[in-house]
């Protein structure tokens, strides 16, 4: 069924691109920046009515589920790292499905229509160390993944801006088999998640950047701007110093329709046989496909069925 869906999606892609509109020049320019620098920023990408609708829906959700979400909130009432909140709040799914220049850049990168795999919603900075996403978003062939990050607030130096290392997507390949041999008694049996392997891999990428003198850059954004990062771009979140100020953002992890996404057991064991079919179904939102997962996870502390949160 998924293969059929992917085929149908691919077949209609010509027609899809055929409706190239006045934005195609901008799409191409952003795509070229993405390939050259490892990321691109699409200013004012999201229509403000959709952004306002999403914010209103999130506020209503927080009021309705005050007790359930309490343990995830910080002292200023900000949510942290909510996985797949778009499954419970349709207005967030609409932010993905809006036919923006950002989404068209992703289509151009994949050469087929973009689907939403998973999302992360934050109301404060992630403050994550510089990392590549690939160990958790591993595709075959490699690189069929993008991060699409939408600012729902203005973000400056004080409220946890994104950091990127320009051109870090184009480094020499890291020997992931050597890392697996070093860390695991049976390197053909790597776990799906390993902090040691994650840290070891990211350190190697960071060291390569240092040797080449690639410096990190802070992205100051306006609400509605979108950043798209290449699967191998080193990126992270700067400290969020003004804790009372929110930094609402939505990271959308996107792939072509039907693309399976694997984790570290495949990333660190590239010879592992895997299926080329995704195991999940998709739901439709406007003209787009969204992978269907049952739960919304709050900061990896607890999860709730999405249907109980709608
Ligand atoms: O939102 C951020 O600060 C960073 C998010 C990020 O690094 C990620 O989702 O991989």
């Amino acid at each position: 069924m998924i293969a059929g869906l992917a085929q149908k999606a691919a077949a209609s892609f010509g027609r899809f691109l055929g409706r190239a509109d006045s934005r195609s020049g901008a799409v191409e320019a952003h795509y070229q920046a993405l390939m050259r620098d490892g990321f691109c920023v699409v200013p004012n990408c999201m229509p403000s009515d959709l952004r306002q609708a999403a914010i209103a829906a999130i506020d209503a959700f927080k009021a309705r589920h005050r007790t359930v979400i309490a343990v995830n909130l910080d002292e200023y009432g900000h949510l942290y790292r909510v996985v797949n909140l778009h499954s419970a709040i349709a207005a967030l799914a609409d932010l993905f499905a809006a036919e923006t220049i950002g989404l068209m850049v992703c289509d151009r990168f994949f050469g087929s229509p973009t689907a939403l795999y998973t999302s992360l919603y934050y109301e404060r900075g992630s403050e994550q160390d510089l990392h590549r996403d690939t160990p958790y978003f591993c595709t075959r062939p490699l690189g069929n993944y993008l991060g699409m990050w939408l600012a729902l607030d203005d973000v400056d130096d004080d409220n946890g801006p994104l950091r990127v290392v320009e051109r870090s997507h184009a480094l020499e390949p890291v020997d992931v088999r050597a890392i697996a041999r070093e860390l695991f008694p049976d390197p053909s049996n790597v776990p799906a998640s390993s902090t040691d392997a994650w840290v070891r891999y990211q350190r190697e990428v960071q060291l390569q950047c240092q040797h080449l003198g690639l410096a990190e850059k802070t992205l100051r954004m306006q609400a509605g701007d979108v950043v798209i990062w290449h699967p191998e771009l080193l990126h992270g979140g700067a400290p969020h110093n003004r804790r009372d100020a929110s930094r609402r953002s939505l990271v959308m992890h996107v792939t072509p329709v039907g693309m399976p996404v694997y984790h570290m057991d495949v990333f660190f064991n590239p010879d592992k046989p895997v299926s080329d079919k995704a195991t999940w179904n998709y739901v439709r939102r406007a003209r787009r496909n969204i992978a269907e997962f049952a739960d919304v996870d709050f900061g990896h502390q607890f999860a709730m069925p999405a249907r109980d949160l709608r």
Side-chain angles (χ1 to χ4, degrees):
M1 177 190 163
I2 285 173
L5 187 61
Q7 259 167 13
K8 212 167 129 197
S12 63
F13 191 56
R15 295 196 297 281
F16 199 78
L17 287 181
R19 80 191 155 81
D21 54 27
S22 56
R23 301 178 294 176
S24 53
V27 171
E28 191 56 28
H30 288 301
Y31 169 74
Q32 294 300 337
L34 172 66
M35 300 312 284
R36 184 189 61 233
D37 300 334
F39 72 98
C40 63
V41 180
V42 185
N44 199 19
C45 180
M46 190 57 63
S48 76
D49 55 338
L50 291 183
R51 191 164 42 81
Q52 295 304 338
I55 287 172
I58 293 163
D59 288 345
F61 169 91
K62 288 176 72 178
R64 206 162 58 245
H65 299 291
R66 198 176 301 122
T67 318
V68 172
I69 65 173
V71 299
N72 182 266
L73 299 175
D74 69 7
E75 68 271 38
Y76 298 103
H78 297 150
L79 288 165
Y80 186 75
R81 201 175 170 89
V82 185
V83 184
N84 291 341
L85 191 57
H86 69 268
S87 312
I89 302 180
L92 283 179
D94 289 341
L95 298 177
F96 163 72
E99 298 294 335
T100 60
I101 288 180
L103 195 55
M104 292 163 77
V105 172
C106 299
D107 292 340
R108 169 78 174 88
F109 179 86
F110 296 131
S112 71
T114 302
L116 178 60
Y117 168 54
T118 53
S119 71
L120 289 175
Y121 174 69
Y122 289 95
E123 292 190 333
R124 59 184 164 91
S126 75
E127 305 188 321
Q128 287 185 83
D129 290 342
L130 290 173
H131 63 278
R132 282 178 171 171
D133 289 342
T134 36
Y136 275 118
F137 295 91
C138 172
T139 61
R140 297 270 184 82
L142 284 172
N144 272 296
Y145 157 81
L146 287 168
M148 188 163 52
W149 187 102
L150 167 66
L152 293 168
D153 282 317
D154 295 348
V155 187
D156 60 22
D157 289 344
D158 291 332
N159 62 338
L162 268 184
R163 283 173 170 163
V164 295
V165 180
E166 203 169 288
R167 300 187 190 233
S168 56
H169 66 308
L171 304 173
E172 288 300 312
V174 172
D175 187 349
V176 290
R177 288 183 181 85
I179 295 177
R181 279 197 301 275
E182 201 180 292
L183 292 178
F184 303 105
D186 177 1
S188 66
N189 201 9
V190 180
S193 175
S194 155
T195 304
D196 286 348
W198 171 268
V199 169
R200 181 78 181 63
Y201 173 77
Q202 306 298 353
R203 197 186 310 134
E204 210 152 299
V205 179
Q206 290 159 8
L207 279 175
Q208 275 203 48
C209 290
Q210 280 168 25
H211 287 144
L212 291 169
L214 302 183
E216 66 186 60
K217 189 170 172 169
T218 299
L219 300 182
R220 296 164 191 100
M221 316 272 291
Q222 302 287 300
D225 294 352
V226 160
V227 180
I228 300 170
W229 63 73
H230 186 278
E232 302 218 276
L233 183 81
L234 199 61
H235 65 281
H240 186 144
N241 297 322
R242 255 198 71 202
R243 307 300 286 187
D244 58 326
S246 65
R247 195 220 69 175
R248 290 173 293 187
S249 62
L250 182 70
V251 196
M252 294 168 272
H253 308 125
V254 301
T255 69
V257 178
M259 176 63 56
V261 179
Y262 295 99
H263 307 302
M264 294 193 202
D265 51 327
V266 175
F267 182 76
F268 287 103
N269 182 9
D271 307 317
K272 185 169 180 162
V274 291
S275 165
D276 61 357
K277 294 183 179 51
T279 52
W280 45 86
N281 293 321
Y282 287 89
V283 291
R284 229 24 214 178
R285 193 88 196 151
R287 300 167 58 104
R288 297 290 174 160
N289 286 290
I290 297 182
E292 186 176 41
F293 296 111
D295 291 343
V296 177
D297 177 289
F298 293 83
H300 310 303
Q301 295 167 301
F302 67 97
M304 292 274 296
R307 66 170 181 279
D308 295 348
L309 294 168
R310 286 180 191 134

